[in-house]
Amino acid sequence: MRNTGPKTRKARRIGEPLRDKDAKYMVKRAYPPGMHGQNRARLSEFAIHHREKQKAKWIYDLSERQFSRYVHDAARKRATTGDTLLQFLESRLDNVVYRLGLAASRAQGRQIVGHGFITVDSKKVNIPSFQVSVGSTIEINPAKRDSKYVERLQTAIKEYKPQEWLELDAKNLKGRVLSKPTPQMSGSTIQMDLIVEHYNR
């Protein structure tokens, strides 16, 4: 089951913003929530690993079952498990929609995918967890072009610059996956090696 509680509270718990708008709140309260938030003891090794896992789950808005499946699938690949795990997470359709600027957040990306606003290679896909491949084209469904959401998006996306593993055609509201994302390309602050160690305990 996905944890849908207050995201800023979660961000304060791990000490890092989960969304862009969390940062301004954390300037005022740069400590964990709760009455003892400013006097927390040093974390154990297990707690550090667990916190990193929670951070990744919350950033990508996944349940424990979903996340553990990604970890186990990544471990079966020949490549480095941590890098493969990041690629699985970043290649989710809801995340790619967000990274392209077609949604303001991953949560909104999940919503518009579920509502049929997105096509992949000209076919409607309404599954947020769909894995997007290198070379795929992601765009706003032509059947939804007259919606108020798309009208607002056309103004908001004009100056948007996606990460280097993606290409955006802002005028036509579509993008393409140029390569598999690396930690450097995605700007990820998640320490995937700690997560892998957590599941290998």
Side-chain angles (χ1 to χ4, degrees):
M1 182 176 180
R2 287 166 50 221
N3 189 327
T4 56
K7 288 185 170 56
T8 301
R9 187 177 179 87
K10 295 175 188 174
R12 289 177 57 207
R13 188 180 303 169
I14 63 173
E16 292 183 36
L18 297 176
R19 306 163 299 170
D20 293 340
K21 64 181 181 181
D22 290 332
K24 64 180 181 181
Y25 295 108
M26 295 184 67
V27 170
K28 294 181 179 180
R29 298 182 178 182
Y31 50 85
M35 62 184 296
H36 301 297
Q38 298 184 66
N39 300 301
R40 295 285 171 89
R42 179 180 295 180
L43 295 175
S44 66
E45 182 179 335
F46 175 84
I48 292 172
H49 291 185
H50 182 264
R51 185 176 66 176
E52 205 65 20
K53 182 200 73 168
Q54 293 296 89
K55 178 170 74 172
K57 280 174 50 183
W58 292 339
I59 286 175
Y60 293 97
D61 199 16
L62 302 174
S63 67
E64 175 62 33
R65 183 176 180 180
Q66 287 174 307
F67 190 78
S68 62
R69 186 168 64 245
Y70 282 125
V71 175
H72 295 146
D73 287 348
R76 288 200 289 265
K77 301 291 184 180
R78 289 187 176 183
T80 304
T81 301
D83 290 349
T84 304
L85 175 58
L86 177 67
Q87 289 170 5
F88 281 156
L89 297 173
E90 285 289 322
S91 297
R92 284 175 55 95
L93 181 56
D94 55 358
N95 181 74
V96 174
V97 167
Y98 161 65
R99 292 294 196 193
L100 283 170
L102 300 176
S105 65
R106 291 181 181 86
Q108 189 177 62
R110 178 191 294 269
Q111 185 177 43
I112 66 171
V113 169
H115 289 174
F117 273 75
I118 300 298
T119 66
V120 179
D121 295 330
S122 301
K123 295 180 180 179
K124 185 177 77 172
V125 179
N126 59 7
I127 302 171
S129 62
F130 178 84
Q131 287 286 301
V132 181
S133 303
V134 174
S136 293
T137 298
I138 298 90
E139 63 183 309
I140 294 293
N141 188 344
K144 301 287 187 177
R145 294 274 175 156
D146 294 332
S147 69
K148 289 184 178 179
Y149 176 80
V150 174
E151 184 180 330
R152 293 193 298 269
L153 178 62
Q154 287 175 323
T155 301
I157 203 173
K158 285 182 179 179
E159 304 299 324
Y160 186 81
K161 301 295 182 185
Q163 294 178 340
E164 61 182 290
W165 59 284
L166 298 168
E167 178 182 69
L168 174 66
D169 178 353
K171 182 178 180 180
N172 294 304
L173 299 179
K174 67 179 180 179
R176 192 163 65 92
V177 180
L178 301 177
S179 66
K180 292 182 178 181
T182 65
Q184 293 75 24
M185 289 178 178
S186 68
S188 175
T189 62
I190 302 169
Q191 298 182 64
M192 292 296 178
D193 56 330
L194 297 185
I195 296 173
V196 174
E197 288 177 19
H198 178 79
Y199 280 92
N200 287 339
R201 294 177 70 90

